[in-house]
Amino acid sequence: MNSNNLFSRVARRTAHAVGRPVTFAVAVLIVLIWAALGPVFHFSDTWQLVINTGTTIVTFLMVFVIQNTQNRDSDAIQVKLDELIRTSKAHNALLDLEELSQDDLDRIKRRYEHLAAEARKELKAGKEDTGCPLVETD
């Protein structure tokens, strides 16, 4: 079994499980129990260390789980958008924008902002805004 596959499956299941209200309720319950035990342990350094260590470990591990699921979701959305572009009259040059440099993305974004402003002017003048002007990507 591929370790990437295993990690992806575990990350997906973990993210699904921790995103449920019952998991949040369990976390709140743990904090309440910890707080209630404060007087028993005289609010000692060890008592504080228990919650600090526990939350640090959980947070550290969840960063990787969240990043993995976010990457998968982002990739899936990108593929869906690419397919919509591919099967429409949209510009195929936009299919892999996520691979361009930030400068190139900024330049294309400015072009789209300009197109949107022009379209709003056309609408105010009673014209249609359904044209498909060329968007330069080079």
Side-chain angles (χ1 to χ4, degrees):
M1 179 178 291
N2 187 340
S3 64
N4 286 337
N5 251 352
L6 177 63
F7 177 72
S8 289
R9 281 198 331 247
V10 169
R12 194 170 39 251
R13 288 180 182 154
T14 302
H16 182 73
V18 299
R20 296 178 159 282
V22 69
T23 308
F24 177 75
V26 168
V28 168
L29 183 64
I30 289 170
V31 171
L32 290 175
I33 290 170
W34 169 81
L37 290 174
V40 174
F41 292 102
H42 307 291
F43 301 100
S44 68
D45 289 343
T46 303
W47 171 79
Q48 292 178 28
L49 189 61
V50 166
I51 198 74
N52 290 342
T53 303
T55 56
T56 300
I57 290 169
V58 170
T59 302
F60 177 75
L61 296 175
M62 286 307 298
V63 165
F64 298 102
V65 170
I66 291 167
Q67 188 62 53
N68 178 269
T69 55
Q70 187 175 19
N71 289 348
R72 288 181 44 79
D73 288 349
S74 178
D75 288 346
I77 289 169
Q78 190 60 54
V79 169
K80 290 175 184 180
L81 289 173
D82 286 350
E83 181 63 8
L84 289 172
I85 292 169
R86 190 187 67 79
T87 61
S88 71
K89 291 187 180 195
H91 302 284
N92 288 334
L94 301 178
L95 283 170
D96 67 347
L97 285 180
E98 67 280 2
E99 303 301 327
L100 297 179
S101 71
Q102 188 62 48
D103 289 340
D104 289 336
L105 281 173
D106 290 342
R107 185 177 40 75
I108 293 169
K109 183 179 178 209
R110 283 191 303 273
R111 174 67 176 139
Y112 272 96
E113 289 168 346
H114 175 74
L115 289 173
E118 292 297 315
R120 283 190 289 276
K121 286 180 190 175
E122 296 288 319
L123 282 174
K124 285 182 180 178
K127 298 178 183 176
E128 292 186 8
D129 71 338
T130 58
C132 192
L134 180 62
V135 176
E136 298 172 16
T137 58
D138 292 330

